[in-house]
Amino acid sequence: MGRVLMKGTEAIAEAAIQAGCKYFFGYPITPQNEIPEYMSAHLPEVGGVYVQAESEVASINMVLGGGATGYRVMTSSSSPGISLMSEGISYIAGCEIPAVIVNVMRAGPGLGGILPGQADYLQATKGGGNGDYNLIVLAPSTLQECVDLTQLAFDLAQKYRNPVMVAADGFMGQMMEAVEIKPSPTKDQPADPTWALGFMEERGGKRSHLHSLFLAPEPLEEHNRKLQKKYGAMKAAEQRCECYHMEDAELLIAAYGTTARISRSAVNNLRAEGLKVGMIRPVTLWPYPYDAFKTIPSTVKNILVAEMNAGQMVDDVKVATGCRYPVSFYGRTGGFAPSVKEIEDECRRILAL
Amino acid sequence: MSEVKVYERPKSWMPNVSSHYCPGCGHGIAHRLVCEVIDELGIQNDTIGVAPVGCAAMIYDYMDTDYCEAPHGRAPAVATGLKTVRPDKIVYTYQGDGDLASIGMGEIVHAANRGQNITVIFINNAIYGMTGGQMAPTTLLGQKATTCPLGRDAKVNGYPIRVSEMLATLPAPGYITRVTVAQPKYIIKAKQAIKKAFQNQVEGKGFSLVEVLSSCPTNWGMRPVEAFDWLISSMMPYYPLGDFKDFD
C-alpha cells in the first residue's frame, strides 16, 4: 500500500488493523464515528470482531476483558465518552492490562460541542480516574503521525501492560491527508501466556488472576510501588518530542497536535521575517518530555504555550523549565483553533516586550 | 471391600483456603456448587471467571481458575470482552444483586440481549452485604435496611426488581432460572441449574443466567437458621423458583 488520501479517523482505524488489532469495542460519539464504522466493516475481513457496546462504560470494560487475554484490543471515543471510561481506564491500569484508547478530542466542558478541542490534556495526563496511575499519552500532529503513533500505542501497551491513549484532537480526526499505512512488524505478536487469561493449560495448571483490589495496606502499597517503578521506566525510555528551529530561538512556542501544526506555519512565516522563533512539540504528553526541555538553548528569552483550551499545558512547561522563563499562553476554546496570524501576532507582541 | 468416598473438596476450590463469609451466608454453598460443576465438566483449565464488587469480590481467592476483576456492575461487559477474544474458553460472571441489578443493570440487560454465550451466576440476598446492609434493588417491601430503617416503602423506593422475569422478556437469552440454597433439596436443584448453565456455554447455546436466592444473616439481623427460614417464607413468595426461559 503506497500513500493514499484518507480521513484521520479512518487512517487510525486502518493503522490499528495493520497493527494486528482484531477486536474493537465502541460506542457512537461525534467526531470519531468513522473509527467504529470502519472497524465494523473491515475487522470481519481479517477474522476480527467489532462489538457495539451499550455505552462507553461498557465498551471500556469490554476492552478490559478483551485486553486481559493479552491480544490487541482497542476502543475509541471523544471527550465526554472518555470521561465515562475513566473508571475503567483506572481499573485497566491497576490490573496491568494492555489496551489502546483513542480520544478524538472535542470542546468541553460537559457536552460542550462537537468541534475540535484539546481540553482533555489534564484528564489524559493527570488522571481522570481514581488512584495513582498513568497512561502513556501520544499526541499526533499529522495524519501520518496518527498512523505511526496508533501502531506504536499497541507496542507500548503490550510492552508495559498498560493502557495507552492516542490523544488526537478533532482536526486530526476529521481532516484528510496522504498517509502510508504499512503492516506493523509486531502485527502478529502473540499474547504473553505468562500472565494473560486463557492459558492455564499452557502454564501447567497455574492460574492467573488480574485485579486491582488489595484490601490489606501492605500488599496494596507494594502493588503501588510496582506500578510506580513501571511508570519510572516509561519516563526514562518513552519521552518523545520534536524541537523545531529551537537552536537559536529567542521565543519558543510549546504546542502539540493541531496547534503545533498551526504554530509550525507561524514559525516559518516569522523566520522568513528574520524573527528567531522556534517550537518545542511534545509528542508524548505523558511521559512529559522533560529531557527535551532541558536542552532549551540559552538564547531563549520567552516561551509561549499555544493550545485549543484555556492553558492546560502551561504548568507542565513551567515545571519542565524550572520556571526559568516567562511563560505566556495563547489559546482558543469552543471549537476554535488559534489561527496562524493570531499566533504570529502573539509572538510579535512578546518579542516587542 | 471397596472404598466409599463421602466427601471431598472440589478440585477447583483453592487448596488450603477457607472463605471469609459469615456463618449462614449462602455464598459458600454457591461457590462450592460452581466448583463442583467446573470439576464435573472438566473445564477448570479452560474457565475464566469475572469477579464482582461486593462480598464475592475476592472469589478468586477461593476458586482456582483464571480470574479477572470487574468494576462494580461491569462484569457482563468484561465477560463480553473475554469471550469475544477467546470464544474457546468458558467465561462466567458471579455477581450479587447490588452489582448486577442496580449499578450493573445496563450491562446485564445488554449482555443478555446480545445473547452472549456466557454464564451468569446471580446471587440475590435482597441487601447490600459488603457495605453493611443498605437497601438493594431487590430488598422486599417492608424489609428494613440501614438506608430504609422503617422498611422499604414502594412510594419512596419503588418495588423490588424481579431480574429473571424481566430478562426473560428478551428474545436473545437462552436459559434463565431461579433457584435457592435455603435447604438441601433446593441445593440439589440449584446445582443442576448451574451445571446446565455451564453446559449450555460448552455447547455454544448462548446466554444463561442462574439467579440464586441466598441469605445474609448478618445484615438481616438473624441467626443462620432463622435467615434460611425467612428466605423461604418471605423471599420465595415474591421471587418464585423455576425456569423462566429454557431455549424456548
Side-chain angles (χ1 to χ4, degrees), chain A residues 55-197:
Chain A
S55 66
E56 288 93 345
V57 174
S59 53
I60 195 67
N61 284 293
M62 292 176 187
V63 164
L64 189 159
T69 67
Y71 290 94
R72 296 188 162 190
V73 304
M74 74 178 289
T75 186
S76 65
S77 190
S78 180
S79 310
I82 298 292
S83 295
L84 283 169
M85 292 183 182
S86 296
E87 178 202 39
I89 293 172
S90 170
Y91 276 71
I92 291 170
C95 292
E96 296 192 83
I97 290 171
V100 172
I101 302 138
V102 175
N103 182 5
V104 184
M105 291 184 281
R106 61 191 236 187
L111 204 48
I114 59 171
L115 293 168
Q118 293 180 321
D120 304 346
Y121 177 92
L122 289 173
Q123 182 192 49
T125 60
K126 306 289 187 260
N130 60 298
D132 285 306
Y133 76 92
N134 285 106
L135 310 177
I136 294 175
V137 183
L138 307 170
S141 186
T142 66
L143 293 206
Q144 187 60 51
E145 214 171 36
C146 282
V147 168
D148 297 342
L149 293 180
T150 298
Q151 297 199 331
L152 174 67
F154 286 99
D155 292 345
L156 294 177
Q158 282 186 317
K159 179 178 178 186
Y160 292 102
R161 285 179 58 185
N162 204 69
V164 178
M165 177 177 283
V166 178
D169 57 71
F171 284 114
M172 288 292 110
Q174 293 300 313
M175 66 187 276
M176 293 184 82
E177 205 165 35
V179 294
E180 182 171 18
I181 306 176
K182 290 188 239 175
S184 167
T186 53
K187 185 177 182 183
D188 299 317
Q189 184 159 310
D192 179 355
T194 62
W195 66 267
L197 302 185

Side-chain angles (χ1 to χ4, degrees), chain A residues 213, chain B residues 20-21 27 51-59 72 96 99 128-131:
Chain A
L213 175 69
Chain B
H20 71 284
Y21 296 115
H27 271 308
V53 171
C55 284
M58 288 164 296
I59 188 170
H72 200 14
D99 193 81
Y128 281 83
M130 192 183 223
T131 46

